[in-house]
């Protein structure tokens, strides 16, 4: 009889707390050197309640590690020209180190175009075409926060990525694509799945490392895993009982070597990585 695997839960909260403590130390060193703390300016256009919560959380997190943050709040009917002008001014302002344009923008404003206007070196979200391109080319750049958090959690799980089979489910510019590029940069053999993948389970069963970034609760269950796989669940869907991941957590117990929970896995890493950026 095969011995059952004891599945470890990867504690994203604890890893994120360590990362934040490291950032607080770097902030203090920056302040010693420059006579001021590093600074982040966020831009929120419109009244979307979820975006409002996200932006407030980012300011709170900045304050906790000593990063100075300021907030530009603009009405939903702000013109593209006005927003572009504001981004240009912040790009040129030497006292602003990071700029975060909260997405999605209200209808009528082009997310890609306006986000792409942020200077690459101030693009703390790592979403400009220049930073995205650098990741694809395996060159240094600012890495988007969630993919960066995913890679840290994989490292925390003790995975040897070189030569490993890695499967990423999801191909968004925000998560799936950068995760795939980062895994490739670590010499994993990477397969990316998406909504047109013919037999998802057949592909996921190859994975030594499986990263799911879809947003369909329970999409991945234990029958779709290779025994001993490390599973990182990026999916977060708000259900009646709270946040739900893509992975059927109970069903992967005894099959996966390690799995990130939702909540408490990738989520806490995202803001910690933003602070690091
Ligand atoms: P997205 O832009 O909607 O992308 C979802 C991806 O999943 C797409 O590539 C889509 O394929 C693929 N997909 C959809 N249904 C599928 C299926 N049945 N089988 C295989 N692939 C399927 O979403 P996202 O922005 O990448 O976010 C993904 C999830 O991560 C969401 O739940 C989001 O809330 C969560 N998230 C969490 C954090 C965090 O901090 N924890 C951060 C960001 C995002 P196609 O390309 O073919 O449409």
């Amino acid at each position: 009889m095969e011995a059952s695997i004891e599945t470890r839960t990867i504690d994203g909260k604890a890893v994120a707390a360590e990362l934040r403590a490291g950032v607080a130390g770097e902030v203090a060193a920056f302040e010693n050197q420059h006579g001021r703390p590093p600074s982040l300016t966020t831009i929120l256009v419109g009244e979307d309640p979820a975006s409002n919560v996200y932006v407030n959380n980012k300011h709170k997190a900045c304050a906790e590690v000593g990063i100075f943050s300021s907030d530009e709040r603009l009405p939903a009917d702000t013109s593209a020209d006005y927003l572009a002008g504001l981004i240009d001014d912040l790009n040129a302002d030497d006292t602003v180190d990071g700029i975060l344009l909260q997405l999605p923008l209200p209808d009528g404003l082009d997310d890609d175009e306006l986000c792409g206007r942020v200077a690459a070196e101030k693009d703390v979200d790592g979403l400009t075409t220049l930073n995205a391109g650098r990741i694809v080319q395996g060159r240094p750049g600012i890495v988007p926060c969630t993919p960066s958090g995913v890679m840290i959690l994989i490292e925390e799980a003790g995975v040897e990525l070189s030569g490993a089979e890695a499967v990423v489910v999801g191909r968004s510019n925000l998560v799936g694509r950068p995760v795939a590029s980062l895994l490739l940069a670590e010499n994993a053999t990477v397969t990316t799945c998406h909504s047109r993948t013919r037999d998802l389970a057949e592909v996921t069963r190859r994975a030594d490392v499986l990263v799911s970034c879809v947003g369909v609760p329970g999409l991945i269950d234990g029958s779709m895993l290779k025994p001993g796989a490390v599973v990182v669940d990026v999916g977060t869907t708000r259900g009646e009982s709270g946040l739900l991941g893509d992975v059927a957590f109970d069903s992967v117990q005894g099959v996966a070597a390690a799995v990130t929970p939702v909540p408490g896995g990738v989520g806490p890493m995202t803001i910690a990585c933003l602070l690091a950026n």
Side-chain angles (χ1 to χ4, degrees):
M1 209 173 83
E2 249 182 68
S4 165
I5 292 171
E6 195 172 324
T7 303
R8 183 162 85 85
T9 300
I10 301 169
D11 186 348
K13 270 195 205 164
V15 181
E18 255 177 60
L19 186 59
R20 283 174 191 235
V23 172
E26 286 179 40
V27 167
F30 181 102
E31 196 164 358
N32 272 340
Q33 196 184 340
H34 298 274
R36 64 169 180 85
S39 80
L40 171 71
T41 299
T42 59
I43 307 172
L44 175 59
V45 187
E47 309 285 335
D48 180 62
S51 293
N52 192 39
V53 171
Y54 297 147
V55 168
N56 289 342
N57 285 344
K58 288 167 189 173
H59 285 280
K60 199 166 147 251
C62 281
E64 281 166 9
V65 295
I67 293 174
F68 173 79
S69 65
S70 62
D71 195 9
E72 296 280 351
R73 302 236 168 186
L74 303 173
D77 62 358
T78 298
S79 71
D81 281 350
Y82 182 86
L83 186 52
L86 173 64
I87 294 169
D88 291 349
D89 288 347
L90 294 170
N91 283 341
D93 184 341
D94 290 340
T95 66
V96 174
D97 301 301
I99 302 169
L100 187 152
L101 178 62
Q102 184 66 42
L103 301 178
L105 294 170
D107 287 349
L109 294 174
D110 185 327
D111 285 11
D112 290 338
E113 191 188 320
L114 288 157
C115 177
R117 204 162 177 114
V118 174
E121 68 278 11
K122 297 191 180 189
D123 166 31
V124 288
D125 264 339
L127 293 178
T128 57
T129 305
L130 195 60
N131 279 319
R134 283 173 177 156
I135 297 176
V136 172
Q137 292 186 341
R139 292 196 290 155
I142 298 182
V143 176
C145 310
T146 302
S148 198
V150 166
M151 295 304 289
I152 294 170
L153 292 180
I154 290 172
E155 193 187 340
E156 158 69 17
V159 177
E160 171 58 54
L161 279 175
S162 183
E165 289 275 353
V167 174
V168 181
V169 190
R171 58 173 165 179
S172 71
N173 289 334
L174 187 64
V175 197
R177 280 174 206 260
V179 166
S181 296
L182 293 168
L183 288 165
L184 190 59
E186 294 299 324
N187 300 313
T189 300
V190 184
T191 308
T192 304
C193 302
H194 44 76
S195 65
R196 315 284 173 88
T197 297
R198 220 177 291 133
D199 185 346
L200 185 62
E202 190 260 329
V203 184
T204 57
R205 276 188 211 111
R206 295 208 296 260
D208 299 306
V209 180
L210 177 65
V211 183
S212 186
C213 8
V214 176
V216 174
L219 178 71
I220 307 292
D221 66 33
S223 74
M224 298 167 75
L225 301 184
K226 178 202 268 192
V230 167
V231 182
V232 178
D233 189 355
V234 182
T236 36
T237 306
R238 201 161 286 281
E240 277 174 16
S241 56
L243 285 187
L244 300 168
D246 290 347
V247 176
F249 191 80
D250 290 344
S251 117
V252 306
Q253 300 300 315
V255 187
V259 59
T260 62
V262 176
V266 174
M269 294 301 292
T270 296
I271 283 200
C273 290
L274 170 70
L275 298 175
N277 280 353

